[in-house]
Amino acid sequence: MQTSDRTRGVALLVPRLLSIQTDPAEFETADAVAEAIERSAEALLRWHDELAEIQQKRPPSPGLPDPVLVEPPADGPAHASPRLAQQVYAGNIPADPAGLEYAAGELHVIAHTVTRVARSCTYESTAAQGHEIAQALTGLSEALRELADTLRTEAARLGDGSGGGTDQVLGRVVRAEHAARLAAATTLRG
């Protein structure tokens, strides 16, 4: 792959990444995932610029992350929003597991492409940046896939009454949403 093709390919990943939408059960989770996707897109743009500099025969720059005000993820117990609790007690989980799986698949494809480009980099520091981005996208992809699996399983349990009670279903959904939020909150944090 030619360097110009490589940089163009990385640039084209950014709008694809930014087009990913998720519909988990909690709005906080959707916001955390959207922020993680934005940080990932910014990292891809910085990496694209690094690849473009190499194409122009300049030495690579250190690629420092932009300063970000970091809010540490909450380590305390996760609680259901009133909206989620009301929906679960009514027999419904307000989420789209298929959409989450699609988003996870898109993140996986983007991560694979980034890995392929990173392997073709001649500068070790530039390759390492690409591998870091790919690893972060893969982690977010896995978290979304796990969330989708949990939401689908718990929705089925609500439907057939085999979940050990609505409180237990709600607890499992809340823990899965919290895990996805934590994964998103730590994605490519400076």
Side-chain angles (χ1 to χ4, degrees):
M1 178 185 294
Q2 299 263 337
T3 303
S4 61
D5 291 342
R6 189 169 58 197
T7 58
R8 191 176 10 254
V10 170
L12 291 174
L13 292 175
V14 174
R16 183 174 181 181
L17 180 61
L18 290 173
S19 72
I20 294 173
Q21 301 289 318
T22 60
D23 187 16
E26 293 279 26
F27 296 134
E28 289 177 348
T29 307
D31 291 344
V33 171
E35 289 172 10
I37 287 172
E38 287 177 22
R39 285 191 307 275
S40 299
E42 290 168 2
L44 273 175
L45 286 173
R46 284 191 301 272
W47 191 51
H48 167 268
D49 293 346
E50 187 74 26
L51 291 170
E53 285 180 19
I54 290 171
Q55 178 183 347
Q56 296 172 4
K57 306 288 188 220
R58 288 189 221 153
S61 66
L64 299 172
D66 292 337
V68 178
L69 295 175
V70 177
E71 283 186 35
D75 289 332
H79 298 285
S81 68
R83 180 188 72 86
L84 176 59
Q86 181 181 25
Q87 290 284 324
V88 170
Y89 285 115
N92 181 31
I93 297 176
D96 178 13
L100 290 168
E101 282 184 348
Y102 179 79
E106 282 291 293
L107 288 169
H108 178 76
V109 168
I110 293 168
H112 178 74
T113 303
V114 170
T115 298
R116 188 171 31 105
V117 172
R119 285 185 185 142
S120 69
C121 289
T122 54
Y123 290 105
E124 196 172 307
S125 64
T126 305
Q129 288 173 348
H131 287 300
E132 180 183 356
I133 294 167
Q135 187 175 25
L137 291 173
T138 298
L140 185 57
S141 170
E142 290 168 358
L144 291 179
R145 196 172 309 277
E146 289 174 21
L147 177 58
D149 289 344
T150 300
L151 293 173
R152 186 174 283 113
T153 299
E154 297 309 318
R157 286 181 175 160
L158 270 179
D160 65 16
S162 67
T166 307
D167 288 336
Q168 290 180 356
V169 168
L170 180 60
R172 288 187 290 263
V173 169
V174 167
R175 285 188 296 278
E177 290 276 329
H178 185 69
R181 272 195 307 278
L182 287 176
T186 58
T187 299
L188 292 173
R189 284 288 189 189

